[in-house]
Amino acid sequence: MPVFPTLFLSHGAPDFSLHASPARDFLQTFGEKLGKPQAILILSSHYDMAQPSFSADEKPGMLYDFEGYPEEVSKIDYPAPGLPQLATIAATLVEQSGLPTQEIIGRGFDQGAWGPLSLLYPGADIPVVEAAIQSEEGAGHHFVLGRCLAPLRQHGVLIIGSGHLNAPNEVLESSDPAAPPQTPDWVTEFGEWVREKAELGDFDTLVDYKAFAPHSARNHPEPDHFMPFPFALGAAGEGAKGRRVHHSVQQGTLLMDVYLFE
């Protein structure tokens, strides 16, 4: 049974899958390159609970927790099955570390899950369990959470952290599609700092990104979209290092980077 690397991806806006972009084009071909796992466990920055939580529905529904997007976005369906047994095993692994956990019924996939998965594995024939971040906890907590779940990789489970490499409040628009806005230094420097630390496997510095990363507060005014990054690093196991496999920018400031950890 193949052991998959773990994955961090920037999932884009709710209508991400409907519009051509370098990031969308990359994800549409990347699932085939990765291969087909037995199951997927995806931690979404749009699923926020006070304690580690795992969806345990046999047939998850869809959650459209946003406004201001075209009606066609709310018609996107990703009918992948759930896998309650995997949710229970994941909860047990986390509980063994001393963290309280829970299994959740009836929430449905949010766009942090169905958005990228509909591109990676459009057949929707792989069982999916969605996991929650804890935004009141830090990056170190999410690294530990991922490390707890690392044994799942030995059983053909693809572990994904779905967030954004940065999530600034500022975006740049251009009236000329042929001349996109130039990415400012405060975005580039943050992205390159993350790449450098990931390639070194320097998790100590990455989990303390607020103190060490350049322009960390400007790139992440809130921590939720970065938490899947240390989670994916932790889930790759002892001594893991990261490799940036896609880099692009949308609206001048939004990094759409994708990382593999192994």
Side-chain angles (χ1 to χ4, degrees):
M1 182 176 296
V3 177
F4 286 84
T6 65
L7 176 65
F8 168 83
L9 52 83
S10 301
H11 57 238
D15 60 348
F16 169 56
S17 64
L18 301 179
H19 305 289
S21 69
R24 189 192 74 164
D25 294 347
F26 173 81
L27 290 180
Q28 283 180 319
T29 61
F30 192 49
E32 186 174 348
K33 293 177 182 178
L34 280 172
K36 187 175 181 179
Q38 296 293 309
I40 296 170
L41 188 146
I42 183 166
L43 179 112
S44 169
S45 59
H46 287 265
Y47 186 11
D48 190 1
M49 300 292 285
Q51 65 189 54
S53 304
F54 302 92
S55 61
D57 294 275
E58 291 187 359
K59 297 181 179 180
M62 298 285 287
L63 180 63
Y64 308 103
D65 55 344
F66 46 78
E67 296 179 349
Y69 289 90
E71 184 179 352
E72 60 185 318
V73 179
S74 296
K75 294 180 179 179
I76 295 174
D77 188 27
Y78 191 71
L83 190 57
Q85 303 96 313
L86 177 57
T88 298
I89 292 169
T92 300
L93 288 171
V94 175
E95 286 172 349
Q96 289 173 351
S97 73
L99 293 173
T101 65
Q102 58 184 347
E103 297 172 47
I104 302 293
I105 299 292
R107 182 179 181 273
F109 296 138
D110 61 55
Q111 66 107 352
W114 55 253
L117 291 180
S118 66
L119 298 171
L120 283 169
Y121 297 106
D125 56 352
I126 303 169
V128 177
V129 169
E130 187 170 349
I133 65 166
Q134 289 75 65
S135 62
E136 296 301 315
E137 305 291 344
H141 164 87
H142 290 83
F143 177 84
V144 171
L145 180 61
R147 182 60 58 84
C148 291
L149 299 173
L152 296 175
R153 297 175 57 238
Q154 304 300 320
H155 301 280
V157 178
L158 173 61
I159 301 177
I160 301 174
S162 174
H164 261 287
L165 196 73
N166 71 335
N169 291 330
E170 304 159 69
V171 297
L172 305 176
E173 301 290 351
S174 174
S175 58
D176 182 1
Q182 184 174 357
T183 304
D185 289 345
W186 58 268
V187 172
T188 301
E189 290 170 8
F190 178 84
E192 289 305 304
W193 181 90
V194 173
R195 181 189 60 78
E196 175 186 331
K197 301 307 177 185
E199 289 178 351
L200 292 172
D202 187 357
F203 67 87
D204 283 331
T205 305
L206 278 166
V207 299
D208 204 9
Y209 75 99
K210 287 185 178 181
F212 292 111
H215 318 289
S216 60
R218 196 171 183 181
N219 280 278
H220 282 287
E222 301 295 335
D224 48 354
H225 276 75
F226 191 70
M227 295 303 100
F229 191 94
F231 169 81
L233 173 57
E238 188 74 31
K241 296 182 180 181
R243 177 164 54 96
R244 188 171 69 182
V245 293
H246 174 75
H247 168 70
S248 62
V249 185
Q250 292 184 355
Q251 294 180 291
T253 61
L254 188 61
L255 295 168
M256 298 299 296
D257 295 8
V258 177
Y259 278 79
L260 281 184
F261 297 97
E262 54 191 344

